[in-house]
Amino acid sequence: MRPGDPGPSRDRGNTVAARAVPRTPGKSQPRPPETTPTRFRPTLHPGAWWLWAISLGVAATRTTNPLLLALLLAASGYVVATHRSPAPWARSYTAFVRLALAVLLIRVLFAVALGSPIPGTHTLLTLPEVPLPHWAQGIRLGGRVTAEAVLFAAYDGLKLATLLVCVGAANALASPTRLLKSLPGALYETGVAVVVALTFAPHLIADVRRLRAARRLRGRPDRGLRGLLQVGLPVLEGALERSVALAAAMEARGYGRTAEVPARVRRTTAALTLGGLLGVCAGTYGLLTAEGGTYGLPVLLAGVLAALAGLRLGGRRSPRTRYRPDPWGAHAWLVTGSGAAVAALLTLASVRDPGALHPGVVPLVAPTLPLWPAAAVLLALLPAFAVPREPS
């Protein structure tokens, strides 16, 4: 080192020492571990769960046999128990079950209080009958309550309760936000309203539980009229605040803005959509009546095609992109096909053997379980075993 030259600083020495890595001859140096990028794992399309649940609801409308309806309830409940996510929107299934029980109870109470046109010989009790004016003929309050009338009301109420539980299953299995992302552009605004309504219901239930638990911890009553008022007002206030915040967020993100579309395209879209819906109504009516069996199916198909074309054109007013769209894969076809098979087989069974799917109450006999319709209902369990559980 010549005099006057600055000596090597500590940092420079460290740098040189770091660069001078000794190498052992004949041995390869270990490489640093490579990080493999995580790949996006596709999940089941939310529309498949809704089609599966709607198909089970269609199957429930084809029968009043309580044993088959109980099988439908058990199958949908088991699939929900195995594939429900821990998200807040998935907790509304219990609320739908309670609503279904309330509907069943109300249907039976109406049959007891208002009477039923079903004749019966097995009298359960006799209520005091209220005389009504002559213009209210056909309606009675009180009177004789028969076992046949109560059983008929229970069968009818159980069918409606099964429909509600199927809707609850779809709401618990399919993510509302992902379903909204999959809707066509023409239905985006309507889908947003429905998704907001379905998403706020679980939040309300969670708020009620939280406030009731807080009142119990403070030693205050959480039941009765007083508890209902003191819990309901904070829940309503929180819902209003959440609505205002959501409206501000939607306005800040430009919700409701539409693109410029020529008037000719708008008129064509309106004509196709309205004509398609009228065709669907006329075709459905034709299929349900004996006189329209010849034209029902062609009119229904033409209406569906016209409505789809109208939705396609209407999507031009709402241009948007989809980030990571949900793929419609083999599992989605499997879920949809299992539900469609249940609906088709029960519809066929209701035509070939209506007595087994609609047990009579006069005379009063116990319902029997038909074998092959019951086996068809068990197809609804296929998603529980063939579809992997989605990551939470």
Side-chain angles (χ1 to χ4, degrees):
M1 179 184 301
R2 289 180 293 180
D5 290 345
S9 63
R10 182 170 300 180
D11 294 337
R12 188 179 299 176
N14 292 340
T15 305
V16 174
R19 291 179 181 175
V21 178
R23 299 180 61 89
T24 304
K27 291 186 179 181
S28 60
Q29 298 299 320
R31 295 182 179 179
E34 297 180 358
T35 57
T36 304
T38 57
R39 187 179 181 182
F40 176 71
R41 180 180 179 183
T43 54
L44 186 66
H45 197 285
W49 287 123
W50 273 100
L51 292 176
W52 173 81
I54 291 174
S55 300
L56 295 189
V58 172
T61 60
R62 310 310 300 174
T63 178
T64 56
N65 192 321
L67 301 179
L68 291 177
L69 293 175
L71 275 180
L72 283 172
L73 291 173
S76 61
Y78 184 79
V79 174
V80 169
T82 56
H83 284 72
R84 182 171 57 176
S85 68
W89 47 263
R91 302 173 187 172
S92 60
Y93 181 73
T94 306
F96 276 95
V97 172
R98 293 177 180 175
L99 179 62
L101 292 176
V103 167
L104 175 60
L105 181 60
I106 291 173
R107 179 66 180 90
V108 174
L109 290 179
F110 275 11
V112 171
L114 302 179
S116 176
I118 302 299
T121 57
H122 298 78
T123 303
L124 297 178
L125 70 158
T126 302
L127 300 176
E129 188 170 356
V130 179
L132 297 176
H134 66 280
W135 51 265
Q137 293 181 358
I139 303 175
R140 69 174 178 85
L141 295 177
R144 190 168 63 97
V145 180
T146 62
E148 289 83 356
V150 172
L151 193 61
F152 179 79
Y155 289 171
D156 196 24
L158 185 60
K159 179 172 67 174
L160 182 57
T162 307
L163 285 173
L164 290 174
V165 172
C166 291
V167 174
N171 192 27
L173 292 171
S175 172
T177 55
R178 287 174 51 202
L179 183 64
L180 175 63
K181 186 174 64 174
S182 304
L183 287 178
L187 299 178
Y188 182 72
E189 296 181 359
T190 305
V192 167
V194 174
V195 166
V196 168
L198 293 177
T199 307
F200 271 22
H203 286 294
L204 292 178
I205 297 172
D207 290 344
V208 170
R209 291 178 178 175
R210 178 175 53 82
L211 290 173
R212 290 183 62 184
R215 291 185 62 82
R216 284 195 298 268
L217 290 175
R218 292 178 174 88
R220 298 177 182 178
D222 61 331
R223 297 182 182 274
L225 181 59
R226 182 180 178 183
L228 178 63
L229 291 177
Q230 295 185 0
V231 170
L233 291 179
V235 170
L236 181 60
E237 182 181 358
L240 292 177
E241 292 179 355
R242 195 180 296 117
S243 301
V244 172
L246 178 63
M250 293 171 66
E251 184 178 2
R253 288 166 173 81
Y255 173 76
R257 299 177 183 176
T258 56
E260 292 293 334
V261 178
R264 175 175 53 84
V265 177
R266 292 199 301 268
R267 288 192 294 267
T268 306
T269 302
L272 286 175
T273 305
L274 183 60
L277 294 178
L278 291 176
V280 169
C281 295
T284 305
Y285 177 78
L287 290 177
L288 295 177
T289 58
E291 293 81 5
T294 56
Y295 68 86
L297 185 59
V299 172
L300 178 62
L301 294 178
V304 169
L305 293 177
L308 291 177
L311 292 177
R312 181 71 176 179
L313 288 177
R316 296 184 179 182
R317 299 185 66 247
S318 179
R320 55 195 179 93
T321 59
R322 290 183 175 90
Y323 176 68
R324 284 181 176 175
D326 291 318
W328 189 278
H331 288 150
W333 285 112
L334 180 64
V335 172
T336 306
S338 63
V342 174
L345 290 176
L346 281 190
T347 302
L348 180 61
S350 65
V351 175
R352 293 192 173 183
D353 192 6
L357 269 68
H358 299 277
V361 295
V362 181
L364 195 61
V365 293
T368 59
L369 183 64
L371 294 180
W372 72 271
V377 173
L378 294 180
L379 292 176
L381 291 171
L382 192 59
F385 303 100
V387 177
R389 182 182 175 88
E390 297 185 3
S392 57

